[in-house]
Amino acid sequence: MKKFIDSFAGRKFRTESVASMTVHQFAESLGNAIDAKDHYTCSHSEEVAVVAQILAVELGLPPRECELLHIAGHLHDIGKIGLPDSILKKKGRLTPDEYEVVKMHPSMGADIVKPVASVSGLDQITGIILHHHERYDGGGYPHGFKGDQIPFGARLMAVADTLSAMASNRPYRAAIKFDRIVEEIKDCSGSQFDPRVVDAFLECADQIGEYFSGSNAVVQ
């Protein structure tokens, strides 16, 4: 697992087509663009891409699906590029109205990516981006989907996204220690997260913790 993490963190993987490689490069560039807008989320897209693919492999998904999840990880927050800096870079908690604006970013991101994903045959990525903030219990957004209504890739992405966010400093709180993150994700199994994905995460949590200890995330 350690060699696997190092390999994908270093972006050393084989693509199945020129279109796939092009989309991956496009995804990395756009992910870097959104991360660059806010130093608090530096490397967030890369971390989510790596963790999403680690979880996919742990779950035994086909190589093609693992690659799609890696690409989707780079792109999952691309809709935030359309958010006002006054909200994206706000120091402190958002107001309810500001949070409603933030909740638009999955739909905005899906709209941005859809033309490219459709042409390249990677349509699943659009659904992952659109639904990565849905909750397993139906309390998420944008559509309040629950359980199997949520694309499986989006359920997996939700765990990877939350993990990276918790492991980083944010304007309203300090980074959370990795052992506490593990417990938080475990406690949210069946409510926020798909239990199957949580079980996979727990199986490889130690190795993911090693990856984060060497990344730009603040893990103590």
Side-chain angles (χ1 to χ4, degrees), residues 18-193:
V18 173
S20 180
M21 182 169 60
T22 300
V23 171
H24 181 263
Q25 292 171 340
F26 168 75
E28 283 197 10
S29 297
L30 290 182
N32 290 340
I34 187 61
D35 287 348
K37 287 195 70 176
D38 183 359
H39 71 275
Y40 282 104
T41 62
C42 180
S43 299
H44 174 65
S45 297
E46 173 72 10
E47 291 164 4
V48 174
V50 171
V51 174
Q53 191 156 11
I54 292 169
L55 292 174
V57 171
E58 181 67 34
L59 284 158
L61 301 184
R64 180 62 167 168
E65 292 188 33
C66 295
E67 182 186 346
L68 286 174
L69 281 157
H70 183 86
I71 293 171
H74 282 296
L75 293 171
H76 75 286
D77 269 347
I78 192 58
K80 286 185 177 179
I81 207 162
L83 299 182
D85 283 352
S86 60
I87 292 178
L88 191 62
K89 298 182 179 182
K90 182 176 180 179
K91 295 181 179 180
R93 292 192 175 275
L94 300 176
T95 67
D97 286 344
E98 290 169 336
Y99 183 54
E100 288 302 312
V101 174
V102 170
K103 286 166 65 175
M104 297 170 62
H105 81 270
S107 297
M108 295 169 67
D111 288 342
I112 291 170
V113 170
K114 186 175 181 179
V116 177
S118 298
V119 170
S120 60
L122 304 179
D123 302 79
Q124 290 172 263
I125 291 174
T126 305
I128 294 171
I129 294 171
L130 179 62
H131 297 294
H132 76 276
H133 277 294
E134 305 283 6
R135 289 175 52 108
Y136 194 71
D137 61 8
Y141 61 88
H143 296 146
F145 284 178
K146 65 185 297 185
D148 291 343
Q149 290 180 308
I150 308 167
F152 185 70
R155 286 178 259 160
L156 185 153
M157 195 66 61
V159 173
D161 183 33
T162 299
L163 193 162
S164 174
M166 294 175 74
S168 302
N169 285 321
R170 293 299 169 96
Y172 50 87
R173 61 149 176 82
I176 298 172
K177 293 182 179 180
F178 193 78
D179 56 354
R180 183 182 162 197
I181 293 174
V182 173
E183 290 304 312
E184 289 279 348
I185 291 176
K186 183 178 179 180
D187 289 346
C188 291
S189 178
S191 54
Q192 185 173 353
F193 304 123

